[in-house]
């Protein structure tokens, strides 16, 4: 049994509070006394009639009382997160904070966790709780899933445990920014799906919007150092499906009204609740610009909502853009770029490089590569091209470059394989790939010490003595003659 405070008695905050009441001591706070009074009197919520408020749910307008537990859940709309945390600041010390709000703050371009850290300080234990969860369905205990994201996995797991035995199955993730980006931007894609629905387009168009919309969000997230798995997970595609295909979704409903011809402000009024996708639009546009990422669907929604563009016209413009491929950069390029971004963000990604021919790949090579990777977090292997082997090493390989590259790329601790075309490229490689450590077998001892002037560590590891490519060839040759 834990003591949990829920700040915000909106539909989602109250839905989460209700399921936690089954096993925990829950106090819900609202800044609106009339909201608290209604819930106390009717044991339901004015905008969530399906919900039955359990007798053991405490309701208060006293913020200090609500912050007295080990957990504080922020269930206020994204635009009130900063002011609410500022109001609660004096009552927050080492509680675990759980944010439900989905959005990005204009100008600062902060996600909710970044706002909270901005107000409370970097050391706050913060979890983003986000996924495919309609309050209406959680209110009726329908089986649901959600992601608990925290850069400290243990904290994410503590929040995961809070929900054990409820209708909510929680998955953990460490990629807080990625989860929050999904939560904020999928609301805009849901607006687009609604507009398409309002124009009486069908499932084909909606599927296109969801698929290409996810691709936009993923591109933006990867440019910010997020994990690709996050976008293919519950907080990403999961939440996008549930938001872009359901009349429970305010964003989808608002988009539908706009597609039918209502002005955005009229549509918002008819929805009667906060439409987070509209709040997120300006920030999403700024974020994409800052990271130099193309977001055509989000941009089109922005044209319709904030610049009065005709919805049907906008769809035609989208459909007649330059032709594109679905193929994005290779995963190793993306992993590499992420490692660079993470290192620039000070997460200390250490990168190692090593060179070789790696013909007739054998366990001596593997021993070298495994030890090289163990010296850091990211291993770049530079494989001699066929021309380089022939003209510079005066050897002939049994496997050609592509075959040797493919073999190396299939080794789980090799992160990126690039060509070695000259003896002199090492200094440039070290610069291009932001290398921290240069590694070679000790048959090269002393040969590359000059690289230390480039600020890298130079390490020579003992060779595996009894095996070599030459040895293999000789033995096979002997067997053949003997055989
Ligand atoms: N290696 C090893 N034990 C072995 C054989 C090789 O540790 N029994 C190491 C080598 O010391 C080298 C790496 O595995 O660090 C690749 O070995 P080769 O393919 O033989 O590389 P080489 O032909 O030495 O080319 O610019 C540097 C060159 O490209 C290195």
């Amino acid at each position: 049994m834990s003591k949990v405070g829920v700040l915000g008695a909106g539909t989602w905050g109250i839905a989460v509070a209700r399921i936690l009441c089954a096993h925990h001591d829950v106090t819900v706070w609202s800044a609106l006394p009339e909201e608290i009074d209604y819930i106390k009197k009717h044991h339901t919520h004015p905008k969530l009639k399906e919900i039955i408020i359990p007798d053991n749910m405490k309701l208060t307008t006293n913020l200090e009382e609500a912050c007295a537990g080990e957990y504080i859940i922020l269930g206020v709309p994204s635009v009130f997160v900063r002011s609410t945390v500022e109001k609660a600041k004096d009552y927050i010390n080492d509680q675990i904070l759980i944010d439900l709000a989905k959005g990005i703050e204009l100008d600062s371009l902060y996600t909710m966790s970044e706002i909270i850290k901005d107000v409370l300080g970097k050391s706050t234990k913060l979890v983003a709780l986000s996924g495919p969860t309609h309050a209406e369905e959680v209110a009726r205990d329908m089986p649901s899933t959600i992601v608990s994201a925290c850069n400290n996995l243990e904290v994410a797991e503590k929040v995961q445990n809070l929900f054990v035995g409820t209708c909510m199955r929680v998955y953990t993730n460490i990629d807080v920014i990625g989860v929050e980006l999904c939560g904020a931007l999928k609301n805009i894609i849901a607006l687009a799906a609604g507009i398409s629905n309002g124009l009486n387009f069908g499932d084909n168009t909606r599927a296109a919007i969801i698929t290409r919309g996810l691709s936009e969000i993923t591109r933006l997230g990867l440019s910010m150092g997020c994990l690709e798995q996050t976008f293919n997970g519950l907080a990403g595609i999961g939440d996008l499906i549930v938001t872009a295909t359901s009349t429970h979704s305010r964003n989808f409903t608002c988009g539908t009204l706009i597609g039918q011809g209502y002005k955005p402000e009229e549509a918002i009024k008819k929805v009667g609740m906060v439409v987070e996708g509209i709040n997120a639009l300006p920030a999403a546009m700024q974020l994409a610009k800052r990271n130099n990422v193309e977001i055509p669907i989000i941009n089109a929604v922005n044209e319709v909502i904030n610049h009065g563009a005709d919805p049907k016209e906008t769809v035609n413009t989208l459909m007649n853009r330059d032709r594109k491929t679905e193929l994005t950069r290779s995963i190793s390029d993306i992993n590499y770029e992420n490692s660079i971004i993470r290192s620039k963000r000070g997460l200390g990604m250490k990168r190692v490089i090593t060179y070789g021919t790696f013909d007739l790949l054998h366990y001596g090579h593997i021993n070298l590569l495994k030890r090289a990777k163990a010296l850091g977090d990211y291993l770049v292997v530079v494989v001699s091209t066929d021309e380089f082997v022939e003209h510079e090493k005066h050897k002939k390989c049994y496997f050609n470059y592509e075959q040797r590259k493919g073999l190396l790329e299939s080794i789980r601790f090799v992160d990126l394989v690039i060509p070695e075309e000259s003896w002199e490229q090492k200094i440039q490689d070290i610069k291009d790939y932001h290398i921290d450590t240069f590694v070679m077998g000790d048959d090269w001892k002393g040969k590359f010490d000059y690289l230390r002037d480039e600020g890298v560590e130079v390490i020579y590891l003992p060779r595996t003595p009894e095996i070599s490519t030459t040895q293999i060839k000789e033995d096979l040759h002997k067997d053949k003659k003997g055989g």
Side-chain angles (χ1 to χ4, degrees):
M1 160 84 77
S2 298
K3 200 167 164 49
V4 182
V6 178
L7 308 188
T11 54
W12 185 221
I14 209 80
V16 170
R18 184 192 70 86
I19 57 176
L20 290 176
C21 279
H23 306 289
H24 304 291
D25 170 3
V26 178
T27 304
V28 174
W29 169 87
S30 171
L32 312 171
E34 63 279 12
E35 197 169 42
I36 293 295
D37 296 344
Y38 182 98
I39 296 170
K40 276 183 178 168
K41 190 168 167 222
H42 300 282
H43 291 281
T44 184
H45 189 281
K47 295 193 177 118
L48 194 58
K49 300 289 189 195
E50 305 92 313
I51 200 164
I52 297 164
I53 302 297
D55 296 340
N56 65 335
M57 182 191 287
K58 298 188 187 86
L59 294 142
T60 179
T61 53
N62 176 320
L63 199 47
E64 184 171 7
E65 189 187 325
C67 292
E70 308 110 86
Y71 296 88
I72 298 175
I73 296 180
L74 279 161
V76 294
S78 61
V79 290
F80 297 123
V81 164
R82 183 178 286 278
S83 56
T84 304
V85 175
E86 272 158 358
K87 266 190 259 176
K89 187 173 181 167
D90 298 343
Y91 315 126
I92 299 174
N93 33 64
D94 65 346
Q95 294 100 318
I96 291 179
L97 267 71
I98 302 165
D99 172 62
L100 303 180
K102 300 176 177 179
I104 300 168
E105 186 177 58
L106 199 46
D107 299 332
S108 70
L109 301 186
Y110 282 168
T111 60
M112 298 302 111
S113 66
E114 290 173 322
I115 293 174
I116 296 166
K117 283 186 180 166
D118 189 39
V119 175
L120 297 178
K122 302 287 172 214
S123 59
T124 316
K125 284 178 276 186
L126 243 173
V127 172
L129 197 65
S130 183
T133 47
H134 285 311
E136 296 77 359
E137 295 183 5
V138 171
R140 295 206 294 267
D141 281 325
M142 288 186 179
S144 305
T145 54
I146 200 164
V147 176
S148 161
C150 180
N151 51 19
N152 175 333
L153 208 46
E154 273 174 36
V155 173
E157 285 162 355
K158 279 189 176 161
V159 172
Q160 181 180 41
N161 294 337
L162 272 185
F163 290 87
V164 169
T166 72
C167 70
M168 187 88 81
R169 181 169 164 74
V170 181
Y171 289 78
T172 57
N173 192 326
I174 56 163
D175 180 16
V176 181
I177 303 295
V179 165
E180 292 185 299
L181 211 57
C182 289
L185 301 185
K186 56 93 192 172
N187 287 326
I188 302 174
I189 305 302
L191 278 168
I195 291 170
S196 162
N197 187 44
L199 290 168
N200 289 320
F201 292 141
D203 297 340
N204 299 358
T205 318
R206 186 183 317 190
I209 288 169
I210 290 175
T211 312
R212 295 308 301 165
L214 179 69
S215 163
E216 289 184 17
I217 297 173
T218 306
R219 256 199 317 271
L220 184 53
L222 290 178
S223 76
M224 294 166 63
C226 303
L227 299 177
E228 188 155 16
Q229 297 94 314
T230 302
F231 303 91
N232 300 327
L234 292 166
I237 184 69
D239 203 354
L240 193 47
I241 290 170
V242 96
T243 314
T245 61
S246 162
T247 50
H248 284 316
S249 157
R250 307 168 195 174
N251 295 281
F252 182 78
T253 307
C254 183
T256 301
L257 293 166
I258 292 169
Q260 288 167 347
Y262 286 92
K263 292 255 171 298
E265 49 282 6
E266 292 165 345
I268 296 169
K269 223 158 140 199
K270 274 181 87 64
V271 167
M273 289 187 275
V274 171
V275 182
E276 288 287 14
I278 291 185
N279 294 339
L281 258 175
M285 297 299 291
Q286 285 177 25
L287 212 47
K289 190 156 177 268
R290 185 177 73 178
N291 292 283
N292 193 21
V293 170
E294 248 195 292
I295 49 166
I297 296 175
I298 293 174
N299 189 52
V301 175
N302 190 51
E303 286 304 305
V304 170
I305 303 269
N306 292 318
H307 301 288
D310 171 72
K312 202 148 192 163
E313 271 305 301
T314 310
V315 173
N316 291 332
T317 313
L318 267 178
M319 291 299 286
N320 296 307
R321 289 171 57 246
D322 313 350
R323 283 160 300 161
K324 293 277 179 186
T325 173
E326 273 206 324
L327 300 177
T328 52
R329 289 150 304 157
S330 79
I331 183 66
S332 52
D333 299 346
I334 290 170
N335 282 341
Y336 169 64
E337 283 162 12
N338 279 348
S339 73
I340 291 296
I341 292 165
R342 274 199 291 275
S343 72
K344 284 183 180 158
R345 286 171 57 179
L347 300 188
M349 173 70 75
K350 204 171 164 200
R351 273 174 305 288
V352 182
I353 198 166
T354 190
Y355 293 70
T357 315
F358 299 104
D359 191 27
L360 295 182
L361 192 66
H362 54 65
Y363 65 88
H365 295 137
I366 300 297
N367 287 345
L368 187 285
L369 295 171
K370 195 181 281 185
R371 284 173 293 161
K373 177 60 178 279
L375 293 169
D377 310 287
Y378 192 93
L379 176 62
V380 180
V381 180
V382 193
V383 192
S384 314
T385 60
D386 299 330
E387 299 71 24
F388 182 65
V389 174
E390 196 179 333
H391 301 140
E392 297 297 329
K393 295 182 176 177
H394 311 300
K395 292 193 284 189
K396 191 133 177 45
C397 286
Y398 182 81
F399 289 127
N400 66 33
Y401 171 74
E402 284 308 324
Q403 289 162 336
R404 287 178 285 122
K405 180 173 186 282
L407 281 165
L408 286 160
E409 281 174 340
S410 62
I411 299 171
R412 63 182 163 77
F413 39 80
V414 170
D415 297 289
L416 185 63
V417 180
I418 57 172
E420 178 180 33
E421 294 161 312
S422 80
W423 294 108
E424 297 72 33
Q425 71 182 71
K426 293 182 175 66
I427 292 183
Q428 193 54 46
D429 290 346
I430 281 163
K431 289 195 179 99
D432 291 350
Y433 292 90
H434 304 265
I435 297 300
D436 302 287
T437 304
F438 172 93
V439 172
M440 284 302 290
D442 59 7
D443 48 322
W444 290 90
K445 195 167 179 58
K447 296 285 192 314
F448 302 114
D449 293 357
Y450 67 92
L451 293 174
R452 290 191 174 111
D453 301 343
E454 300 302 318
V456 293
E457 207 182 5
V458 175
I459 295 179
Y460 301 102
L461 297 171
R463 278 175 66 89
T464 306
E466 76 281 4
I467 180 84
S468 73
T469 308
T470 315
Q471 184 73 45
I472 294 171
K473 286 178 179 173
E474 283 169 5
D475 291 353
L476 288 173
H477 188 63
K478 247 188 277 163
D479 290 356
K480 196 170 161 221
K481 269 175 66 181

